[in-house]
C-alpha cells in the first residue's frame, strides 16, 4: 500500500491564493458503497468553498474511482493543486474524520494526527524456546530476527525419573533465561536507540518474565502485550493482535498529555486557550503545542506581520499587509510551531481547542479557563 506523504514536505508547499484542495475521505469496507465515493468527495470539496479548480476535482474523482478498492477500511488523504503542480493520494493508517479544506497550503493536521496515533513499532513474540522480532509500519511488516533456543531431551531417556526431571526443569529454566537475555540483546540491536513503542506477545507468564528482563529504557517503551501461541502466528496476525494494543497506548498517551497540561495550567509556562497560543506563537515561544482533534476554527492572518487572529481587527501592526481569512487557525498554528522547531500533538476529547507548553513566558499572554473551546 502507498506510503502516506510526509507532512513536513507538504508544509513547504504554498500557492498564491486558496488553490490547494485537501480531502480526507473514509473508504468503507462494503464495496457496494463505493459507487457514491467520488460523489461524496465532490460534495466535501464543494462544502469547502467555490474556488476549487475543476481540473483538480476531476483528478480527485478519477483517483477515487481507480484506487478506492485499494483503500478499504482506511481514510484516503488527497492533496491537489494545478496551480503548483501538486497531486498526492494515499491511504492513512487508522481512521480520521472526513474533511475537505481549500487553502493556500495543504491541510496537514489530520495527516499528522493519523501518523502519531499509528506509529511504527516493534513486535516481539516469545516463549521459552522461540522468539520473533518484527518491525511494523502500517501495512509493511519486516522480520528483524527469528531464533530457536536449544532444547532438552525427554526425561524418559535415562536415569532416575524424579532426579532427572528436576535436573531437566533446572536446565529448562537456565536455557529460558539465556534465551530471554539473547532476545533482549536482539531487540536492543533492532531498536538501535529509537524510541519506537514495543508490543510483546506470547503466554502471560512468559511475557511477564520477558518484560522483567528488559533494561529500564526498553521497558519504558513497552506499549502493552497480547496473548498468543507463537507456533500459530503469521506476520499479518501479529500486526492484527498488536494494533488494538497500539491504539490504546496512543489514547493513554493523549490522556496523560492533557492531564499534565491541565495540572500545570496556572504556570507562566503553560497556556490553555487558543488566544494565548496565538500570542505565544507570534513570539516564537511555543515548545509543545497540543490541539484538539476534529475541529476547524476559521480565522485571519495578516500578510504584513504574519500574525494569526480570531477576528480581523486583532492585528495592530503598521505594515502594508492585508488581513486575509484562513479556513483553519489550528492547522496554520501547527505549521508555525513545527516550522519554528516546536512539537505538535493532536489529541481527542480535549477540553480546549489549543494549549501549549512555552519556552519562555510571554507578556500579554491570554489565559482562559481550560474548559473553554
Amino acid at each position: 500500500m502507498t506510503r502516506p506523504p510526509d507532512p513536513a514536505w507538504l508544509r513547504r508547499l504554498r500557492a498564491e491564493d486558496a488553490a490547494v484542495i485537501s480531502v480526507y475521505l473514509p473508504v468503507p469496507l462494503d464495496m457496494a458503497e463505493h459507487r457514491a465515493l467520488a460523489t461524496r468527495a465532490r460534495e466535501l470539496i464543494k462544502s469547502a468553498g467555490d474556488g476549487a479548480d475543476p481540473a483538480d476535482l476531476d483528478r480527485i474523482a478519477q483517483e477515487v474511482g481507480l484506487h478506492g478498492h485499494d483503500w478499504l477500511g482506511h481514510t484516503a488523504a488527497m492533496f491537489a493543486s494545478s496551480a503548483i503542480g501538486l497531486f498526492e493520494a494515499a491511504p492513512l493508517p487508522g481512521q480520521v474524520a472526513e474533511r475537505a479544506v481549500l487553502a493556500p497550503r495543504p491541510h496537514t493536521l489530520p495527516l499528522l494526527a493519523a501518523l502519531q496515533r499509528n506509529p511504527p513499532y516493534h513486535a516481539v513474540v516469545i516463549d521459552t524456546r522461540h522468539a520473533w522480532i518484527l518491525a511494523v509500519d502500517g501495512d509493511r511488516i519486516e522480520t528483524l530476527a527469528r531464533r530457536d533456543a536449544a532444547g532438552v531431551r525427554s526425561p524418559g531417556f535415562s536415569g532416575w525419573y524424579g532426579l532427572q526431571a528436576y535436573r531437566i526443569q533446572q536446565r529448562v529454566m537456565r536455557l529460558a533465561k539465556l534465551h530471554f537475555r539473547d532476545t533482549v540483546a536482539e531487540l536492543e540491536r533492532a531498536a538501535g536507540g529509537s524510541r519506537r513503542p514495543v508490543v510483546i506477545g506470547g503466554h502471560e507468564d512468559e511475557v511477564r518474565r520477558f518484560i522483567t528482563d528488559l533494561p529500564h529504557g526498553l521497558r519504558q517503551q513497552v506499549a502493552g502485550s497480547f496473548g498468543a501461541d507463537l507456533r500459530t502466528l503469521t506476520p499479518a496476525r501479529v500486526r492484527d493482535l498488536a494494533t488494538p494494543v497500539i491504539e490504546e497506548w496512543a489514547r493513554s498517551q493523549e490522556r496523560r498529555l492533557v492531564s499534565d497540561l491541565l495540572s500545570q495550567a496556572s504556570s507562566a509556562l503553560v497556556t490553555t486557550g487558543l488566544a494565548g497560543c496565538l500570542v505565544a506563537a507570534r513570539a516564537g515561544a511555543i515548545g509543545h503545542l497540543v490541539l484538539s482533534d476534529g475541529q476547524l476554527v476559521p480565522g485571519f492572518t495578516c500578510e504584513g506581520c504574519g500574525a494569526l487572529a480570531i477576528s480581523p481587527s486583532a492585528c495592530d501592526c503598521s505594515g502594508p499587509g492585508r488581513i486575509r481569512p484562513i479556513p483553519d487557525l489550528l492547522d496554520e498554528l501547527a505549521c508555525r510551531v513545527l516550522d519554528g522547531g516546536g512539537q505538535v500533538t493532536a489529541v481527542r476529547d480535549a477540553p480546549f481547542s489549543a494549549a501549549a507548553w512555552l519556552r519562555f513566558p510571554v507578556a500579554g499572554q491570554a489565559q482562559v479557563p481550560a474548559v473553554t473551546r
Side-chain angles (χ1 to χ4, degrees):
M1 191 170 286
T2 307
R3 190 178 184 86
D6 179 12
W9 172 73
L10 287 173
R11 285 200 313 272
R12 293 194 293 267
L13 305 178
R14 193 175 188 93
E16 289 295 325
D17 299 306
V20 179
I21 304 171
S22 304
V23 179
Y24 294 89
L25 181 69
V27 180
L29 287 169
D30 188 352
M31 292 291 292
E33 299 179 37
H34 281 214
R35 295 178 183 175
L37 270 181
T39 301
R40 183 55 188 155
R42 289 181 179 275
E43 290 173 349
L44 281 174
I45 295 169
K46 185 176 180 180
S47 70
D50 297 326
D53 188 327
D56 292 334
L57 271 71
D58 292 342
R59 181 72 188 276
I60 289 172
Q62 181 184 28
E63 193 74 9
V64 170
L66 288 174
H67 297 291
H69 61 280
D70 297 325
W71 301 336
L72 298 178
H74 292 270
T75 296
M78 294 170 282
F79 307 93
S81 175
S82 300
I84 59 174
L86 168 66
F87 188 83
E88 289 286 330
L92 301 182
Q95 288 277 1
V96 300
E98 67 177 17
R99 178 179 295 187
V101 176
L102 186 62
R105 67 197 303 171
H107 183 78
T108 57
L109 191 53
L111 169 62
L112 188 68
L115 295 177
Q116 287 175 347
R117 291 167 191 164
N118 299 272
Y121 62 90
H122 290 117
V124 181
V125 188
I126 191 162
D127 59 24
T128 55
R129 291 190 57 188
H130 309 90
W132 199 5
I133 302 176
L134 303 171
V136 184
D137 186 359
D139 289 333
R140 288 172 292 280
I141 309 172
E142 179 186 359
T143 296
L144 301 179
R146 188 160 191 169
R147 68 188 309 273
D148 298 306
V152 296
R153 295 187 302 167
S154 165
F157 280 117
S158 62
W160 177 41
Y161 179 80
L163 179 60
Q164 188 72 356
Y166 173 77
R167 289 172 176 168
I168 287 173
Q169 183 184 36
Q170 294 300 303
R171 187 180 177 207
V172 166
M173 292 173 63
R174 286 195 303 271
L175 289 174
K177 191 169 185 63
L178 290 172
H179 170 54
F180 284 6
R181 186 190 66 188
D182 291 343
T183 303
V184 169
E186 288 282 359
L187 179 58
E188 286 184 303
R189 281 193 288 270
S194 73
R195 297 297 299 171
R196 286 188 178 191
V198 178
V199 180
I200 315 294
H203 298 294
E204 183 178 351
D205 290 344
E206 291 156 0
V207 167
R208 185 171 58 250
R209 287 165 53 195
F210 180 73
I211 293 175
T212 301
D213 285 346
L214 290 173
H216 178 74
L218 273 178
R219 201 179 310 143
Q220 294 295 106
Q221 292 172 231
V222 174
S225 62
F226 59 86
D229 184 344
L230 192 149
R231 295 169 297 181
T232 66
L233 292 179
T234 64
R237 182 59 179 158
V238 172
R239 181 196 59 208
D240 292 344
L241 290 169
T243 293
V245 177
I246 288 293
E247 289 175 349
E248 178 53 35
W249 170 82
R251 282 190 175 275
S252 69
Q253 296 289 102
E254 292 177 21
R255 289 193 293 266
R256 186 178 299 113
L257 195 63
V258 172
S259 176
D260 289 348
L261 263 171
L262 297 181
S263 68
Q264 302 172 46
S266 60
S267 169
L269 292 178
V270 169
T271 181
T272 54
L274 177 57
C277 288
L278 295 177
V279 172
R282 186 173 183 180
I286 295 180
H288 188 174
L289 176 68
V290 181
L291 298 174
S292 181
D293 189 35
Q295 294 190 42
L296 273 174
V297 181
F300 300 87
T301 183
C302 173
E303 294 187 340
C305 68
L308 299 173
I310 298 171
S311 68
S313 59
C315 180
D316 57 359
C317 79
S318 57
R322 63 186 178 92
I323 301 298
R324 177 173 54 82
I326 54 176
D328 187 19
L329 276 173
L330 302 185
D331 186 73
E332 190 66 31
L333 183 59
C335 291
R336 300 283 180 92
V337 171
L338 290 167
D339 290 344
Q343 182 180 352
V344 175
T345 304
V347 300
R348 290 159 283 200
D349 305 319
F352 48 71
S353 292
W357 277 284
L358 308 182
R359 297 184 175 113
F360 50 85
V362 177
Q365 172 193 314
Q367 280 284 357
V368 298
V371 293
T372 301
R373 284 187 181 273

